[in-house]
C-alpha cells in the first residue's frame, strides 16, 4: 500500500504576497457567502425576483462545496476545488433522487435538505479537532490509571 502525504501548510512566500490583490480572498469569500445566503432566502420565500434562480443555484453548489472543501484541507487548492464541486453536484443529485424516490419532491424541501446536510458536514469537520483532543485525554487517563 502506498502512503500519500498531504500538504499541511503553505510557505511564508505564499502567505505574504506583496501587491494590491493580496486581500481579495476574504472579500470574495464574503461576497460568495452573501450571494449564497441571498439565494437561499429568495428560494425559501418564493420571491418573484429574477435573481432567485441563479442565486439559488449558486447556493445549491456553494453550500455543500464549502462543507466538503473544509474536510479536504490537506489537498492542493485546485484539487480541493474540483473535488468539492464534484461532491456538491453528487450531493445535490442524491438529495433530488431520494426525494423523488420517496415521492416527497419539492423545491423548498430540496433547499432545506441540502442546507441541513451541508451544515451537518461542516459541523462534523469543525468538531474533528475536539474528537482528537478527547482521544488524547482518554489515552492520558488510561496511562495514569495503569501506572
Amino acid at each position: 500500500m502506498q502512503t500519500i502525504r498531504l500538504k499541511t501548510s503553505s510557505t511564508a512566500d505564499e502567505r505574504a504576497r506583496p501587491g494590491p490583490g493580496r486581500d481579495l480572498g476574504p472579500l470574495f469569500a464574503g461576497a460568495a457567502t452573501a450571494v449564497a445566503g441571498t439565494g437561499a432566502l429568495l428560494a425559501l420565500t418564493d420571491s418573484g425576483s429574477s435573481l432567485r434562480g441563479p442565486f439559488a443555484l449558486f447556493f445549491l453548489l456553494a453550500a455543500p462545496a464549502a462543507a466538503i472543501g473544509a474536510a479536504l484541507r490537506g489537498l492542493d487548492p485546485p484539487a480541493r476545488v474540483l473535488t468539492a464541486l464534484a461532491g456538491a453536484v453528487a450531493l445535490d443529485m442524491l438529495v433530488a433522487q431520494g426525494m423523488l424516490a420517496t415521492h416527497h419532491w419539492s423545491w423548498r424541501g430540496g433547499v432545506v435538505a441540502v442546507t441541513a446536510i451541508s451544515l451537518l458536514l461542516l459541523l462534523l469537520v469543525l468538531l474533528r479537532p475536539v474528537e482528537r483532543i478527547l482521544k488524547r485525554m482518554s489515552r492520558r487517563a488510561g496511562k495514569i490509571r495503569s501506572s
Side-chain angles (χ1 to χ4, degrees):
M1 186 176 267
Q2 182 181 3
T3 302
I4 299 174
R5 298 201 185 264
L6 299 176
K7 183 179 174 184
T8 56
S9 65
S10 61
T11 62
D13 294 336
E14 291 176 359
R15 280 184 266 145
R17 291 186 318 222
R22 66 176 179 226
D23 293 333
L24 291 180
L27 179 69
F28 287 148
T33 302
V35 168
T38 303
L41 185 67
L42 289 174
L44 291 175
T45 59
D46 198 20
S47 172
S49 173
S50 61
L51 294 175
R52 180 181 66 178
F55 282 12
L57 180 61
F58 182 77
F59 170 76
L60 289 174
L61 287 175
I68 293 169
L72 301 174
R73 62 182 118 170
L75 290 178
D76 291 333
R80 188 174 173 184
V81 168
L82 185 65
T83 306
L85 283 174
V89 170
L91 179 74
D92 289 341
M93 288 193 301
L94 285 171
V95 166
Q97 184 177 5
M99 291 179 76
L100 286 171
T102 59
H103 303 289
H104 293 317
W105 170 253
S106 74
W107 53 269
R108 188 172 283 148
V111 170
V112 170
V114 168
T115 303
I117 292 170
S118 298
L119 286 175
L120 180 65
L121 284 172
L122 192 58
L123 182 66
L124 290 174
V125 169
L126 293 176
L127 290 179
R128 187 172 29 182
V130 173
E131 180 181 317
R132 289 181 192 155
I133 291 170
L134 292 175
K135 282 183 183 179
R136 287 182 199 153
M137 288 174 56
S138 66
R139 284 188 217 143
R140 287 181 187 168
K143 288 180 183 178
I144 292 171
R145 288 181 195 148
S146 64
S147 315

